[in-house]
Amino acid sequence: MARIVMKFGGTSVADIGRIRNVACHIKREVDAGHDVTVVVSAMAGTTNQLIAWTQEAAAVYDLREYDTVIASGEQITAGLLAIALQDIGINTRSWLGWQIPILTDNAHGSARITDIDGTTLIEGFKKGQVAVIAGFQGLAPDDRVATLGRGGSDTSAVAVAAAIKADRCDIYTDVDGVYTTDPRIEPKARRLSKVAFEEMLEMASLGAKVLQVRSVELAMVHKVRTFVRSSFAAPDAPGMEDSINPPGTLICDEEEIVEQQVVTGIAFAKDEAQISLRRLADKPGISAAIFDPLAEENINVDMIVQNISEHGAKTDMTFTVPSVDHDQAVKILEKNRKEIRYDVLQSESGLAKVSVIGIGMRSHAGVAATAFRALAEKGINIRAITTSEIKISILIDSAYTELAVRTLHAVYRLDKG
Ligand code: ASP
Ligand code: MG
């Protein structure tokens, strides 16, 4: 018998039929004797609709009222799912964030969870009761409802799992796991059976949008074994009842991954823009003069490459920003030209960042060289390269994204497993 958190995303609870289907997944785990806590998202499209109404009501609004409105989507699903579960004989009740309580900070609209008291939920297990918790919401210090930012119910689920020391947090979604790359680009992409927290963080932040990034950070800190699996697979499909190895991807501590691959996946992000500042003075304070004003305007800078100058002469600095921020970033840099003192600013949108990810590269030489050779053979020009211990990111022209992803996927034999 295990203690399991089961989280269901918007498409998994999109209508009453799907909610009944979710109830069957839950019944399977309850019947197997597990202690189960459920966390739900709003029905697909609901949160978008609620946000649109808020914006229609007034151009500028109080974020506390925004939270009151958009937290309601999860309340609906929690109640409906509890009704569907009762209908098939499961002892259950719904819970809103404040009732548990799930406490957050005061950052309405994108609050962080500060504490969850797991006692009530653990008491519930003793009575054989399944708690259905509205995700995405909590109670702020101002005694008002707060929401956790888009996609935040993943974070609710992981936080609840940590609070009740669950054996596993199952994230049921419309895909059946995490793949070596996007299967729409490389049909030979393979589902990973295990991926380390660090790797998943890189994949999530790079646009493999399975989980909210914050939920992966939280899972890593609290070592919550998080399992991505499909709610669209039939509840009684072969293997679904397996409590050790059901179909899906386990995101876990690297120690749990026995057969480690050097490279685990290829991620990519389109719509990047490159900005180069030429002939800057090579002296203290220049980087701060460039990046402070960008940070003040909340522009997310990613790859940063500075050349080492010859004998303290002039240097060049290149970095990337999301394409949508390109124009604003250029404007800011032009405004600060006096302080930064660059000679020329050159910029270009329509670029892509392709990344090779794997914790195995910490202990293997030649991983980067393999990527560069493979891209060269396809005639793909590399504009910039940045690396971390577990990632190599390469900036290229967007038109070559698909080719680059497939090439790298093949060269590291990711289709072979
Ligand atoms: N319903 C919220 C959203 O759409 C939270 C979630 O689904 O995780 O962002
Ligand atoms: Mg989601």
Side-chain angles (χ1 to χ4, degrees), residues 7 9-10 41 151-154 173 209-212:
K7 185 260 165 175
S41 290
S153 51
D154 293 332
T173 180
K209 294 189 192 71
V210 188
L211 289 173
Q212 198 198 32

Side-chain angles (χ1 to χ4, degrees), residues 7 9-10 40-43 47-48 70 74 135-136 149-154:
K7 185 260 165 175
V40 289
S41 290
M43 296 162 87
T47 310
N48 287 347
I70 68 165
E74 273 71 14
F136 184 50
R150 295 308 304 272
S153 51
D154 293 332

Side-chain angles (χ1 to χ4, degrees), residues 337-355:
R337 182 164 191 165
K338 272 221 188 75
E339 292 79 63
I340 307 171
R341 283 196 285 151
Y342 54 85
D343 194 3
V344 209
L345 185 158
Q346 290 163 333
S347 70
E348 200 172 327
S349 309
L351 305 180
K353 180 176 69 170
V354 178
S355 301

Side-chain angles (χ1 to χ4, degrees), residues 170-417:
D170 283 358
I171 306 275
Y172 285 80
T173 180
D174 49 13
V175 293
D176 65 357
V178 179
Y179 280 70
T180 47
T181 196
D182 187 338
R184 284 167 301 186
I185 289 194
E186 173 49 278
K188 289 189 202 133
R190 211 170 29 83
R191 188 175 71 204
L192 294 158
S193 58
K194 285 182 183 172
V195 51
F197 292 123
E198 285 92 336
E199 293 171 326
M200 189 60 201
L201 265 184
E202 295 290 2
M203 296 202 202
S205 63
L206 283 167
K209 294 189 192 71
V210 188
L211 289 173
Q212 198 198 32
V213 176
R214 213 188 265 180
S215 71
V216 185
E217 289 166 359
L218 199 65
M220 182 158 98
V221 171
H222 296 281
K223 293 204 193 297
V224 175
R225 302 170 74 244
T226 304
F227 198 80
V228 177
R229 56 192 298 185
S230 168
S231 75
F232 284 71
D236 55 358
M240 289 298 277
E241 78 298 339
D242 187 334
S243 66
I244 311 286
N245 235 341
T249 302
L250 180 67
I251 307 164
C252 59
D253 203 85
E254 62 180 275
E255 280 167 16
E256 243 192 271
I257 302 173
V258 195
E259 269 177 67
Q260 221 168 66
Q261 301 238 327
V262 178
V263 170
T264 307
I266 311 294
F268 60 91
K270 284 186 171 180
D271 295 321
E272 298 281 308
Q274 161 194 332
I275 299 179
S276 299
L277 300 173
R278 306 284 179 211
R279 290 176 290 284
L280 294 153
D282 188 4
K283 59 173 201 192
I286 293 298
S287 299
I290 297 170
F291 297 113
D292 273 346
L294 295 173
E296 270 160 35
E297 295 301 322
N298 270 322
I299 293 180
N300 222 333
V301 174
D302 186 26
M303 303 172 89
I304 303 180
V305 186
Q306 186 200 301
N307 208 353
I308 295 176
S309 66
E310 216 176 344
H311 312 302
K314 303 277 177 186
T315 184
D316 288 345
M317 177 89 79
T318 292
F319 55 90
T320 61
V321 296
S323 277
V324 288
D325 291 333
H326 167 269
D327 294 357
Q328 205 201 348
V330 169
K331 235 185 254 159
I332 294 170
L333 294 165
E334 282 169 351
K335 207 175 96 199
N336 289 279
R337 182 164 191 165
K338 272 221 188 75
E339 292 79 63
I340 307 171
R341 283 196 285 151
Y342 54 85
D343 194 3
V344 209
L345 185 158
Q346 290 163 333
S347 70
E348 200 172 327
S349 309
L351 305 180
K353 180 176 69 170
V354 178
S355 301
V356 178
I357 297 161
I359 43 176
M361 59 177 90
R362 282 194 201 124
S363 49
H364 278 79
V367 181
T370 304
F372 305 149
R373 167 67 38 222
L375 295 178
E377 274 163 14
K378 299 287 178 189
I380 300 173
N381 186 39
I382 299 173
R383 287 168 172 259
I385 304 162
T386 55
T387 61
S388 78
E389 260 194 321
I390 66 161
K391 180 179 76 168
I392 304 155
S393 292
I394 299 162
L395 190 69
I396 59 170
D397 289 346
S398 215
Y400 294 105
T401 316
E402 281 78 6
L403 180 60
V405 168
R406 279 189 221 118
T407 303
L408 295 171
H409 197 268
V411 80
Y412 295 111
R413 306 173 65 83
L414 289 175
D415 52 331
K416 301 291 190 313

